[in-house]
């Protein structure tokens, strides 16, 4: 089994499409109610579906892996993207930066390296 995509709600679809293009995703489907992107690395896709009202804040976090996290953070800052957490080394051995998209979906840009799937505490 392989994860194909994640779809999240967007109350302002054009603003959200522009935001995810700024993050570096490539738009491959663009309709008035749905947009789909290819991630720049790997085979995953990411989608938005239009909703009439801004969704309530939830605990879901969207993780995008970035090998050059600090560079990407600086690039996005210079593009006007606001972060709620600058790149920070975490106790679970990942480096993470956090932000919200225009619909308040939380995003974590991270680099986990070998620890992404093989942390020292991995169950065998």
């Amino acid at each position: 089994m392989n994860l194909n995509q994640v779809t999240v709600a967007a109350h302002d679809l054009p603003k959200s499409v522009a935001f995810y293009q700024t993050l570096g995703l490539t738009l491959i489907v663009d309709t008035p109610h749905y947009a789909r992107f290819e991630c720049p690395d790997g085979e995953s896709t990411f989608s938005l579906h239009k909703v009439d009202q801004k969704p309530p804040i939830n605990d879901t976090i969207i993780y995008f892996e970035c090998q050059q996290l600090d560079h990407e953070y600086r690039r996005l800052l210079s593009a006007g993207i606001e972060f709620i957490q600058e790149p920070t080394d975490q106790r679970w051995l990942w480096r993470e930066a956090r932000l919200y998209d225009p619909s308040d979906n939380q995003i974590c840009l991270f680099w986990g390296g070998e620890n992404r799937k093989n942390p020292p505490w991995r169950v065998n």
Side-chain angles (χ1 to χ4, degrees), residues 75-118:
R75 181 187 75 79
L76 293 170
L77 274 180
S78 69
I81 300 293
E82 295 181 23
F83 283 78
I84 58 172
Q85 176 189 302
E86 64 186 33
T88 305
D89 293 329
Q90 303 294 338
R91 62 181 169 77
W92 46 90
L93 306 178
W94 291 12
R95 186 162 177 78
E96 299 181 349
R98 294 183 183 244
L99 61 153
Y100 286 101
D101 77 2
S103 293
D104 290 330
N105 294 300
Q106 189 176 160
I107 298 169
C108 178
L109 303 180
F110 80 98
W111 177 246
E114 181 65 23
N115 292 310
R116 182 176 73 82
K117 290 179 67 176
N118 297 298

Side-chain angles (χ1 to χ4, degrees), residues 13-25 37 64 76 81-82 99-102 105 107:
L13 195 59
K15 187 174 183 179
S16 294
V17 166
F19 174 85
Y20 283 99
Q21 287 178 305
T22 301
L23 286 189
L25 280 68
F37 304 86
F64 289 112
L76 293 170
I81 300 293
E82 295 181 23
L99 61 153
Y100 286 101
D101 77 2
N105 294 300
I107 298 169

Side-chain angles (χ1 to χ4, degrees), residues 22-50:
T22 301
L23 286 189
L25 280 68
T26 302
L27 185 64
I28 60 171
V29 175
D30 188 16
T31 74
H33 294 91
Y34 177 82
R36 189 168 185 183
F37 304 86
E38 285 181 333
C39 294
D41 300 312
E43 296 295 317
S44 299
T45 60
F46 180 79
S47 301
L48 302 168
H49 71 92
K50 183 174 178 7

